Amino acid sequence: MEAIEAIMTRRSNRRFTNEMPGKQEIGKIIECGRQAPCGSNSQSVHFVVISDQKVLKDLAEIARDEFSKMEVNEDTYVSLRNSILASKRGDYVFHYGAPLLIVTANKKGYGNAMADSACALENMMIGANALDLASCYINQLHWLSDNERIVSYMEAIGLEKDEYITGALALGKAETLLQKEKQITGNPVTWVG
Ligand SMILES: Cc1cc2nc3c(=O)[nH]c(=O)nc-3n(C[C@H](O)[C@H](O)[C@H](O)COP(=O)(O)O)c2cc1C
C-alpha cells in the first residue's frame, strides 16, 4: 500500500484476534516508529514491546484496579471518565486484548517527550495499516504514568528510572479490519495567500 493510501485509510481498530503478527512485520512497525522525526534528533523515545500475555493481563488488571479507585466529576476528561466507569464495572481491558502492546516512554523533563512519542506512534499506526494490521493509540498507561503500581511494574519490565510513559499502541490482527477513508468535519484549515 502506498503512503498516502496508508494514511488516508488508517482507522483505530478495537477488536483483535489472538493471533500474533509475524516477527518481521512487528520489526518493521517498530522501525517505522524509530524512524519518526524527533526534536533535535534526540532519539530518546523508548519502545517497550510487550508480547508476553501474562504481562498484558497483569497491566490490564492493575490499570482496572487503579482506575476503579478514582472518582469522576463534571471536569473529568471524557475518555478518562469512561476508563474509570468501565473499571468500576469490573470488565475493563484498556488494550482491548490485543496480542501486542508497544508502550512508548521518554525522558522526564524533556520538553518534546510527548510530541516525539506521538510522531513515533503515528508512524507505527500508518506502518501497521500498510501491512494490513490493526492498531489503536492507547492512552491509559500515560494517564497512570505517576501511579506507583504501574511505574514499579513497568520498571521491572524495562522502563528506565529517568523515563515516564508517554503513550502506547495496541497492535494485532483485526477481527474485521477497518480500513476506510472517513469524512473529516473538524480540523479546520485556514489558507493565507
Ligand atoms: C492522543 C490520542 C489518544 C488516544 N487514546 C485512545 C485510547 O486511550 N483508547 C482508544 O480506544 N482510542 C484512543 N485514541 C484513538 C482515537 O479515539 C481515534 O483516533 C479517534 O476517535 C479517530 O478515529 P480514527 O483513528 O479511527 O480515525 C487516541 C488517539 C489519540 C491521537
Side-chain angles (χ1 to χ4, degrees), residues 10-14 77 79 83 92 94 96 125 136-140 143 178 182 184:
R10 178 217 55 80
R11 299 277 73 87
S12 297
N13 283 264
R14 298 183 176 87
Y77 172 58
S79 300
S83 296
Y92 184 55
F94 72 88
Y96 303 112
M125 289 188 278
C136 188
Y137 195 123
I138 297 290
N139 231 0
Q140 283 68 26
W143 292 333
L178 302 173
K182 72 174 178 192
I184 304 295

Side-chain angles (χ1 to χ4, degrees), residues 74-147:
E74 64 277 10
D75 296 328
T76 310
Y77 172 58
V78 60
S79 300
L80 175 58
R81 167 192 294 262
N82 291 340
S83 296
I84 294 170
L85 295 178
S87 296
K88 286 183 191 293
R89 283 198 302 273
D91 57 357
Y92 184 55
V93 177
F94 72 88
H95 50 62
Y96 303 112
L100 195 72
L101 187 73
I102 303 179
V103 179
T104 57
N106 213 330
K107 300 290 179 199
K108 292 173 184 167
Y110 166 49
N112 288 322
M114 289 301 295
D116 288 359
S117 297
C119 287
L121 287 162
E122 173 67 346
N123 262 20
M124 291 194 287
M125 289 188 278
I126 296 165
N129 190 38
L131 296 173
D132 290 334
L133 291 174
S135 70
C136 188
Y137 195 123
I138 297 290
N139 231 0
Q140 283 68 26
L141 293 181
H142 171 60
W143 292 333
L144 293 170
S145 59
D146 285 334
N147 178 279

Side-chain angles (χ1 to χ4, degrees), residues 1-19:
M1 189 188 292
E2 55 102 11
I4 301 289
E5 187 188 353
I7 291 168
M8 301 300 261
T9 63
R10 178 217 55 80
R11 299 277 73 87
S12 297
N13 283 264
R14 298 183 176 87
R15 285 177 190 272
F16 297 88
T17 70
N18 294 331
E19 195 185 342

Side-chain angles (χ1 to χ4, degrees), residues 56-74:
L56 290 176
K57 193 165 173 275
D58 287 350
L59 283 171
E61 278 173 16
I62 298 169
R64 188 186 308 129
D65 206 31
E66 294 303 303
F67 279 131
S68 67
K69 294 176 191 165
M70 296 180 188
E71 296 304 326
V72 295
N73 60 43
E74 64 277 10

